[in-house]
Amino acid sequence: MRPIRGPTRRAARPGGLWAALLWPALLLICLIPGVLPRLINPLGLGEVGSFEPQLWRLTLTHLGLVLLSSVVVLALGLPLAVAVTRPGLEALRQLSETLVGLGQTVPTFAVLALAVPVLGFGWAPTLLGLIVYGLVPVLSNAVVGLQSVSPGALDAARGMGMSARQRLWRVELPLARPVIMAGVRTSTVYNVGTATVGAALGAGGLGEPIINGLSQQNTALVMTGAVLAALLALSLDALMALFDPGHH
C-alpha cells in the first residue's frame, strides 16, 4: 500500500507561519460585505447579488462539514491502521489494501447516490460521502507510516522492556506521525472540494452559489463559491502544516 500523493509529500519550504496567517486573512477579507462583489461584478460575469449576506453562514457550514468528517475519519482510520499492521494480521492488511484501492476508484457521486435513499437529504449522506472519500488517504498513509518504522527502533524498545502498547505509543506512532499527518492534510483538503457536492443534497455550504450559478448561468456566483472554497482549503492546509513535523 503506497501513501496517497498530492499534498502528502511536499518539499520543505520556509514561511509556514506566514502561509498560516496569509490564507485565513484573505478568506476573512473576502467574507467582508462588499469585497467580493467589488472584485467580481466588474468582470461582467454576472452579479453576486443576494448570496452575499449568506456567505458567512455558507462558509461556516462548509467548514463544519469538513471538520466533522475529518474527526470521524481520523477516529476510524488510525485505529484501523494500527490493527492491520499488528503481527499476524497480514490477511486483514491485504483486505484493507483492497478496500482502499476500491475507495479510490468509486466516484463520490456514486456514494452519495447510494446514501440518499437510506439517509435522505441533508448532512447525513454528505457526511457519509466525505468519510468514505476521506478515509482513503488517512488509512493508506497511516499503514505506510507504521510499516516504515525501523525494526531497530522496535528492537531497542523491546530491549528496554517496553510492552506492545508502550512501543505503539512511544515509538511507532511518534515515528509515523509525519506520514500520518500528511494523510490527514490530504484528506481534509480533498474534502473541502468534495463537500461542495453536498449542496446538491441540501447540506448547504459553498457548493450552493456554485450550483445556483451553474443553473442560472451566472459565472459570478460560481466564481464566488470556488474562490471561497479554494481559500478555505489553503487555510486549513497551511494551519495543519504547523502541526506537521515533516513540514518546515
Side-chain angles (χ1 to χ4, degrees):
M1 185 184 297
R2 297 188 303 174
I4 300 296
R5 300 298 178 183
T8 305
R9 293 290 191 182
R10 295 168 184 246
R13 67 175 188 265
L17 179 59
W18 285 109
L21 295 173
L22 173 64
W23 296 120
L26 289 177
L27 176 62
L28 292 175
I29 290 172
C30 287
L31 289 172
I32 296 174
V35 171
L36 277 180
R38 289 182 183 180
L39 294 175
I40 296 177
N41 290 348
L43 299 177
L45 302 175
E47 299 288 331
V48 176
S50 61
F51 259 95
E52 187 191 0
Q54 305 178 50
L55 294 181
W56 269 102
R57 175 181 60 83
L58 296 176
T59 302
L60 291 175
T61 298
H62 203 97
L63 178 62
L65 281 167
V66 172
L67 292 182
L68 182 57
S69 63
S70 297
V71 169
V72 175
V73 162
L74 188 59
L76 293 175
L78 189 55
L80 183 57
V82 170
V84 301
T85 52
R86 298 307 91 189
L89 295 178
E90 288 76 11
L92 186 58
R93 183 164 63 248
Q94 292 174 1
L95 176 61
S96 71
E97 291 177 359
T98 302
L99 293 177
V100 165
L102 181 62
Q104 290 179 279
T105 59
V106 176
T108 308
F109 284 105
V111 176
L112 296 177
L114 292 173
V116 167
V118 178
L119 301 176
F121 289 88
W123 272 49
T126 304
L127 278 175
L128 178 62
L130 294 178
I131 291 168
V132 171
Y133 196 63
L135 190 61
V136 173
V138 171
L139 177 59
S140 178
N141 276 52
V143 169
V144 170
L146 290 169
Q147 286 183 317
S148 64
V149 173
S150 168
L154 294 176
D155 288 340
R158 290 189 189 95
M160 295 172 61
M162 289 188 185
S163 65
R165 182 183 295 271
Q166 289 174 324
R167 291 196 300 272
L168 173 64
W169 286 101
R170 297 184 184 181
V171 179
E172 294 182 73
L173 288 177
L175 291 177
R177 182 184 168 196
V179 181
I180 294 173
M181 282 299 300
V184 174
R185 289 174 60 194
T186 301
S187 172
T188 303
V189 171
Y190 280 178
N191 276 349
V192 172
T194 307
T196 58
V197 181
L201 305 179
L206 295 172
E208 279 194 23
I210 295 175
I211 292 174
N212 279 270
L214 291 173
S215 64
Q216 300 171 19
Q217 297 185 343
N218 185 344
T219 308
L221 280 180
V222 177
M223 185 175 294
T224 297
V227 166
L228 291 176
L231 288 175
L232 180 60
L234 289 168
S235 299
L236 291 174
D237 184 56
L239 289 170
M240 285 187 293
L242 296 178
F243 301 95
D244 185 349
H247 182 93
H248 302 286

